[in-house]
Protein backbone atom coordinates (compact mmCIF):
# COMPACT_ATOMS: atom_id res chain seq x y z
CA UNK A 1 0.00 0.00 0.00
CA UNK A 2 1.56 3.34 -1.05
CA UNK A 3 1.89 6.40 1.18
CA UNK A 4 -1.07 8.22 -0.36
CA UNK A 5 -3.44 5.31 0.32
CA UNK A 6 -2.05 5.01 3.85
CA UNK A 7 -2.66 8.72 4.43
CA UNK A 8 -6.27 8.55 3.22
CA UNK A 9 -6.87 5.40 5.28
CA UNK A 10 -5.48 7.10 8.38
CA UNK A 11 -7.71 10.14 7.86
CA UNK A 12 -10.80 7.96 7.44
CA UNK A 13 -9.93 5.96 10.55
CA UNK A 14 -9.57 9.18 12.54
CA UNK A 15 -12.98 10.32 11.29
CA UNK A 16 -14.55 7.01 12.33
CA UNK A 17 -12.94 7.30 15.77
CA UNK A 18 -14.16 10.87 16.18
CA UNK A 19 -17.69 9.88 15.20
CA UNK A 20 -17.49 7.04 17.66
CA UNK A 21 -16.43 9.48 20.39
CA UNK A 22 -19.43 11.65 19.63
CA UNK A 23 -21.74 8.67 20.02
CA UNK A 24 -20.09 7.62 23.27
CA UNK A 25 -20.32 11.14 24.64
CA UNK A 26 -24.07 11.16 23.91
CA UNK A 27 -24.71 7.75 25.41
CA UNK A 28 -27.47 7.64 28.00
CA UNK A 29 -27.24 6.58 31.62
CA UNK A 30 -30.16 5.56 33.83
CA UNK A 31 -29.97 8.99 35.43
CA UNK A 32 -31.17 10.59 32.19
CA UNK A 33 -34.74 9.34 32.70
CA UNK A 34 -37.50 11.58 34.02
CA UNK A 35 -41.08 10.96 35.07
CA UNK A 36 -44.20 13.14 35.07
CA UNK A 37 -47.04 11.78 37.19
CA UNK A 38 -50.65 12.87 37.40
CA UNK A 39 -50.99 14.72 40.70
CA UNK A 40 -54.35 13.10 41.51
CA UNK A 41 -53.32 9.44 41.28
CA UNK A 42 -54.32 7.38 44.30
CA UNK A 43 -51.68 5.13 45.87
CA UNK A 44 -53.10 2.12 44.04
CA UNK A 45 -53.35 3.96 40.72
CA UNK A 46 -49.80 5.25 41.11
CA UNK A 47 -48.51 1.72 41.66
CA UNK A 48 -50.31 0.56 38.51
CA UNK A 49 -48.89 3.42 36.44
CA UNK A 50 -45.34 2.94 37.70
CA UNK A 51 -45.49 -0.74 36.76
CA UNK A 52 -46.69 0.13 33.25
CA UNK A 53 -43.91 2.70 32.93
CA UNK A 54 -41.37 0.05 33.91
CA UNK A 55 -40.32 1.82 37.11
CA UNK A 56 -39.33 -0.23 40.15
CA UNK A 57 -38.10 2.52 42.45
CA UNK A 58 -39.51 6.00 41.88
CA UNK A 59 -36.75 7.48 44.07
CA UNK A 60 -34.26 6.72 41.30
CA UNK A 61 -35.88 9.29 39.02
CA UNK A 62 -36.46 12.99 38.77
CA UNK A 63 -40.25 13.37 39.20
CA UNK A 64 -42.60 16.12 38.04
CA UNK A 65 -46.29 16.30 38.99
CA UNK A 66 -48.88 17.57 36.53
CA UNK A 67 -52.01 19.11 38.04
CA UNK A 68 -55.54 19.21 36.69
CA UNK A 69 -55.22 23.00 36.63
CA UNK A 70 -52.31 22.70 34.19
CA UNK A 71 -54.31 20.27 32.05
CA UNK A 72 -57.15 22.78 31.76
CA UNK A 73 -54.67 25.60 31.14
CA UNK A 74 -53.36 23.91 28.01
CA UNK A 75 -56.44 22.06 26.76
CA UNK A 76 -59.55 24.12 27.58
CA UNK A 77 -59.37 25.89 24.20
CA UNK A 78 -59.56 22.57 22.33
CA UNK A 79 -61.58 20.15 24.47
CA UNK A 80 -64.75 20.24 26.51
CA UNK A 81 -63.95 20.64 30.22
CA UNK A 82 -65.92 17.48 30.90
CA UNK A 83 -63.56 15.53 28.63
CA UNK A 84 -60.48 16.81 30.46
CA UNK A 85 -62.13 15.94 33.77
CA UNK A 86 -61.27 16.96 37.31
CA UNK A 87 -58.37 14.59 38.08
CA UNK A 88 -54.86 14.59 36.63
CA UNK A 89 -54.04 10.94 35.86
CA UNK A 90 -51.92 10.83 32.68
CA UNK A 91 -48.33 9.87 33.46
CA UNK A 92 -45.21 9.83 31.31
CA UNK A 93 -41.70 8.37 31.36
CA UNK A 94 -39.11 10.20 29.21
CA UNK A 95 -35.53 9.10 28.57
CA UNK A 96 -33.05 10.86 26.31
CA UNK A 97 -31.43 8.95 23.48
CA UNK A 98 -32.54 6.84 20.56
CA UNK A 99 -33.10 7.76 16.94
CA UNK A 100 -35.92 10.26 16.78
CA UNK A 101 -38.92 10.18 19.10
CA UNK A 102 -40.21 6.70 20.01
CA UNK A 103 -43.47 6.32 21.90
CA UNK A 104 -45.29 3.49 23.68
CA UNK A 105 -48.75 3.83 25.23
CA UNK A 106 -50.70 1.87 27.85
CA UNK A 107 -54.38 2.39 28.72
CA UNK A 108 -54.57 5.41 26.39
CA UNK A 109 -57.73 5.47 24.28
CA UNK A 110 -57.77 8.81 22.45
CA UNK A 111 -54.16 9.32 21.36
CA UNK A 112 -52.02 6.87 19.39
CA UNK A 113 -48.23 6.62 19.59
CA UNK A 114 -48.02 8.28 16.17
CA UNK A 115 -50.14 11.22 17.30
CA UNK A 116 -47.86 11.80 20.28
CA UNK A 117 -44.76 11.49 18.10
CA UNK A 118 -46.05 14.06 15.61
CA UNK A 119 -47.11 16.52 18.31
CA UNK A 120 -43.95 16.13 20.39
CA UNK A 121 -41.87 16.92 17.31
CA UNK A 122 -43.89 20.12 16.88
CA UNK A 123 -43.29 20.99 20.54
CA UNK A 124 -39.54 20.63 19.99
CA UNK A 125 -38.65 17.28 21.55
CA UNK A 126 -35.63 15.50 20.05
CA UNK A 127 -34.30 11.93 20.29
CA UNK A 128 -36.20 10.51 23.24
CA UNK A 129 -37.89 7.34 24.43
CA UNK A 130 -41.38 8.13 25.73
CA UNK A 131 -43.88 5.90 27.55
CA UNK A 132 -47.39 7.18 28.30
CA UNK A 133 -49.65 5.33 30.74
CA UNK A 134 -52.92 5.64 32.63
CA UNK A 135 -54.09 3.61 35.62
CA UNK A 136 -57.08 2.53 33.51
CA UNK A 137 -58.44 3.57 30.09
CA UNK A 138 -58.14 7.36 29.77
CA UNK A 139 -57.91 9.77 26.81
CA UNK A 140 -54.25 10.66 27.46
CA UNK A 141 -54.57 14.16 26.00
CA UNK A 142 -52.95 15.76 29.06
CA UNK A 143 -49.88 13.49 28.83
CA UNK A 144 -48.29 15.78 26.25
CA UNK A 145 -47.90 18.46 28.91
CA UNK A 146 -46.24 15.97 31.25
CA UNK A 147 -43.91 14.71 28.53
CA UNK A 148 -42.66 18.19 27.71
CA UNK A 149 -42.26 19.16 31.37
CA UNK A 150 -40.10 16.07 31.87
CA UNK A 151 -38.16 16.93 28.71
CA UNK A 152 -37.54 20.46 30.02
CA UNK A 153 -36.10 19.06 33.25
CA UNK A 154 -33.99 16.56 31.34
CA UNK A 155 -32.45 19.02 28.89
CA UNK A 156 -32.56 22.25 30.86
CA UNK A 157 -34.20 23.89 27.85
CA UNK A 158 -37.43 25.84 28.22
CA UNK A 159 -40.07 24.76 25.71
CA UNK A 160 -41.75 27.65 23.90
CA UNK A 161 -45.31 28.17 25.08
CA UNK A 162 -46.34 28.76 21.46
CA UNK A 163 -44.86 25.41 20.41
CA UNK A 164 -46.46 23.59 23.33
CA UNK A 165 -49.83 25.20 22.64
CA UNK A 166 -49.63 24.21 18.95
CA UNK A 167 -48.60 20.67 19.90
CA UNK A 168 -51.57 20.28 22.24
CA UNK A 169 -53.92 21.56 19.56
CA UNK A 170 -52.32 19.21 17.05
CA UNK A 171 -52.88 16.23 19.34
CA UNK A 172 -56.56 17.07 19.78
CA UNK A 173 -57.18 17.86 16.11
CA UNK A 174 -55.49 14.65 14.96
CA UNK A 175 -57.63 12.67 17.39
CA UNK A 176 -60.81 14.34 16.13
CA UNK A 177 -59.91 13.78 12.48
CA UNK A 178 -59.04 10.14 13.28
CA UNK A 179 -62.67 9.60 14.30
CA UNK A 180 -63.61 10.39 10.69
CA UNK A 181 -60.84 8.79 8.61
CA UNK A 182 -58.92 6.43 10.92
CA UNK A 183 -55.82 6.69 13.13
CA UNK A 184 -53.09 5.95 10.57
CA UNK A 185 -54.69 8.15 7.93
CA UNK A 186 -55.07 11.06 10.38
CA UNK A 187 -51.43 10.79 11.51
CA UNK A 188 -50.21 10.76 7.91
CA UNK A 189 -52.51 13.57 6.83
CA UNK A 190 -51.43 15.94 9.59
CA UNK A 191 -47.75 15.10 8.97
CA UNK A 192 -48.12 15.70 5.22
CA UNK A 193 -49.96 19.02 5.56
CA UNK A 194 -47.46 20.16 8.19
CA UNK A 195 -44.62 19.30 5.82
CA UNK A 196 -46.18 21.36 3.04
CA UNK A 197 -46.84 24.33 5.32
CA UNK A 198 -43.39 24.39 6.96
CA UNK A 199 -41.27 23.60 3.90
CA UNK A 200 -43.26 25.97 1.68
CA UNK A 201 -43.49 28.80 4.24
CA UNK A 202 -47.24 28.86 3.70
CA UNK A 203 -49.07 31.39 5.87
CA UNK A 204 -52.10 32.63 3.92
CA UNK A 205 -55.50 31.02 4.52
CA UNK A 206 -55.82 30.24 0.81
CA UNK A 207 -52.45 28.49 0.54
CA UNK A 208 -53.03 26.47 3.70
CA UNK A 209 -56.51 25.46 2.55
CA UNK A 210 -55.02 24.31 -0.76
CA UNK A 211 -52.37 22.29 1.11
CA UNK A 212 -55.09 20.53 3.12
CA UNK A 213 -57.11 19.72 -0.01
CA UNK A 214 -54.04 18.52 -1.89
CA UNK A 215 -52.90 16.30 1.00
CA UNK A 216 -56.34 14.74 1.38
CA UNK A 217 -56.39 13.92 -2.34
CA UNK A 218 -52.91 12.39 -2.20
CA UNK A 219 -53.95 10.15 0.69
CA UNK A 220 -57.34 9.46 -0.89
CA UNK A 221 -59.31 10.51 2.21
CA UNK A 222 -62.49 12.56 2.44
CA UNK A 223 -62.64 15.33 5.01
CA UNK A 224 -65.72 17.03 6.39
CA UNK A 225 -65.89 20.81 6.36
CA UNK A 226 -65.40 20.76 10.13
CA UNK A 227 -62.26 18.63 9.83
CA UNK A 228 -60.86 20.94 7.16
CA UNK A 229 -61.51 23.98 9.32
CA UNK A 230 -59.80 22.42 12.34
CA UNK A 231 -56.72 21.44 10.33
CA UNK A 232 -56.50 24.85 8.67
CA UNK A 233 -56.69 26.63 12.04
CA UNK A 234 -53.98 24.34 13.42
CA UNK A 235 -51.71 24.90 10.43
CA UNK A 236 -52.19 28.67 10.67
CA UNK A 237 -50.73 28.44 14.15
CA UNK A 238 -47.94 26.08 13.06
CA UNK A 239 -46.99 28.46 10.23
CA UNK A 240 -46.08 31.07 12.85
CA UNK A 241 -43.59 28.75 14.57
CA UNK A 242 -39.91 28.56 13.72
CA UNK A 243 -39.89 24.86 12.77
CA UNK A 244 -37.20 23.01 10.84
CA UNK A 245 -38.84 20.66 8.34
CA UNK A 246 -35.83 18.32 8.35
CA UNK A 247 -35.92 18.12 12.14
CA UNK A 248 -39.63 17.26 12.05
CA UNK A 249 -38.97 14.43 9.61
CA UNK A 250 -36.02 13.15 11.62
CA UNK A 251 -37.99 13.03 14.88
CA UNK A 252 -41.19 11.56 13.38
CA UNK A 253 -39.47 9.52 10.67
CA UNK A 254 -41.79 6.49 10.99
CA UNK A 255 -44.73 8.55 9.79
CA UNK A 256 -42.82 10.24 6.96
CA UNK A 257 -41.37 6.89 5.90
CA UNK A 258 -44.93 5.58 5.56
CA UNK A 259 -45.76 8.51 3.30
CA UNK A 260 -42.70 7.80 1.14
CA UNK A 261 -43.70 4.11 0.96
CA UNK A 262 -47.12 5.20 -0.30
CA UNK A 263 -45.35 6.98 -3.15
CA UNK A 264 -46.12 10.42 -1.77
CA UNK A 265 -43.41 12.99 -2.34
CA UNK A 266 -42.33 14.61 0.91
CA UNK A 267 -40.54 17.91 0.43
CA UNK A 268 -36.87 18.24 1.26
CA UNK A 269 -35.32 21.45 2.48
CA UNK A 270 -33.07 22.52 -0.41
CA UNK A 271 -30.82 24.50 1.90
CA UNK A 272 -30.07 21.29 3.77
CA UNK A 273 -29.13 19.52 0.53
CA UNK A 274 -26.87 22.39 -0.46
CA UNK A 275 -25.14 22.25 2.94
CA UNK A 276 -24.69 18.52 2.56
CA UNK A 277 -23.22 18.88 -0.93
CA UNK A 278 -20.89 21.61 0.32
CA UNK A 279 -19.71 19.36 3.15
CA UNK A 280 -18.93 16.51 0.75
CA UNK A 281 -17.01 18.83 -1.59
CA UNK A 282 -15.02 20.18 1.37
CA UNK A 283 -14.26 16.65 2.50
CA UNK A 284 -13.16 15.70 -1.02
CA UNK A 285 -10.84 18.73 -1.20
CA UNK A 286 -9.43 17.83 2.21
CA UNK A 287 -8.74 14.24 1.18
CA UNK A 288 -7.06 15.42 -2.05
Amino acid sequence: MNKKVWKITAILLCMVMLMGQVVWADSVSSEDAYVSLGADLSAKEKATVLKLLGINNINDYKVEYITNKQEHQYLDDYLEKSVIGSRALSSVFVKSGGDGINVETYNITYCTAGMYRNALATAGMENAEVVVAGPFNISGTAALVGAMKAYESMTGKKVSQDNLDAANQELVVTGDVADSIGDDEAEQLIALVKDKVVSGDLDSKEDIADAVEESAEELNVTLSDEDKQQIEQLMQKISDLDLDVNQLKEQAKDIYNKLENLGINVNVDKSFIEKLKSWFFSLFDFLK
Side-chain angles (χ1 to χ4, degrees), residues 85-268:
S86 58
R87 298 178 66 208
L89 301 172
S90 296
S91 299
V92 190
F93 168 92
V94 180
K95 186 174 183 178
S96 64
D99 185 15
I101 302 169
N102 298 290
V103 183
E104 294 179 30
T105 65
Y106 299 95
N107 291 337
I108 302 299
T109 59
Y110 183 84
C111 307
T112 65
M115 292 178 196
Y116 281 120
R117 190 182 300 116
N118 236 345
L120 288 169
T122 296
M125 182 177 282
E126 298 177 18
N127 301 326
E129 304 291 332
V130 180
V131 183
V132 183
F136 43 80
N137 283 349
I138 58 176
S139 68
T141 49
L144 193 74
V145 179
M148 293 312 300
K149 293 299 180 184
Y151 185 69
E152 283 183 338
S153 296
M154 185 171 66
T155 61
K157 299 176 182 177
K158 187 70 176 176
V159 175
S160 161
Q161 291 300 304
D162 289 339
N163 284 63
L164 185 54
D165 178 54
N168 278 292
Q169 184 176 352
E170 180 176 335
L171 196 67
V172 173
V173 169
T174 310
D176 286 348
V177 174
D179 288 339
S180 303
I181 65 175
D183 291 342
D184 287 344
E185 290 80 1
E187 292 171 18
Q188 293 164 14
L189 176 67
I190 297 300
L192 184 56
V193 179
K194 185 164 57 174
D195 169 69
K196 293 179 186 295
V197 169
V198 176
S199 64
D201 289 327
L202 308 183
D203 54 13
S204 72
K205 290 184 178 179
E206 294 77 13
D207 286 343
I208 290 174
D210 288 343
V212 173
E213 290 281 2
E214 183 180 299
S215 299
E217 288 179 11
E218 288 182 75
L219 287 168
N220 195 29
V221 295
T222 302
L223 298 173
S224 67
D225 290 339
E226 183 180 355
D227 286 340
K228 291 177 185 177
Q229 185 177 22
Q230 281 197 87
I231 298 171
E232 288 167 15
Q233 289 173 347
L234 167 64
M235 293 302 157
Q236 195 71 58
K237 184 172 292 186
I238 284 178
S239 71
D240 292 331
L241 304 179
D242 184 20
L243 295 178
D244 183 335
V245 68
N246 299 305
Q247 188 67 26
L248 289 175
K249 292 171 187 173
E250 181 64 26
Q251 298 307 315
K253 62 176 60 180
D254 287 352
I255 296 173
Y256 287 102
N257 285 343
K258 288 179 182 177
L259 290 171
E260 294 282 4
N261 291 336
L262 290 172
I264 295 173
N265 180 46
V266 181
N267 295 306
V268 178

Side-chain angles (χ1 to χ4, degrees), residues 42-88:
S42 67
K44 184 178 179 180
E45 290 167 345
K46 184 176 178 181
T48 299
V49 164
L50 291 178
K51 184 176 181 181
L52 292 171
L53 295 178
I55 297 173
N56 295 319
N57 186 355
I58 190 63
N59 295 322
D60 292 339
Y61 300 87
K62 168 76 174 179
V63 181
E64 302 272 351
Y65 287 93
I66 301 302
T67 66
N68 188 244
K69 181 179 179 180
Q70 287 175 303
E71 293 177 341
H72 283 279
Q73 175 188 343
Y74 287 103
L75 293 167
D76 272 354
D77 288 341
Y78 314 118
L79 285 171
E80 294 291 333
K81 291 185 178 181
S82 59
V83 175
I84 302 170
S86 58
R87 298 178 66 208

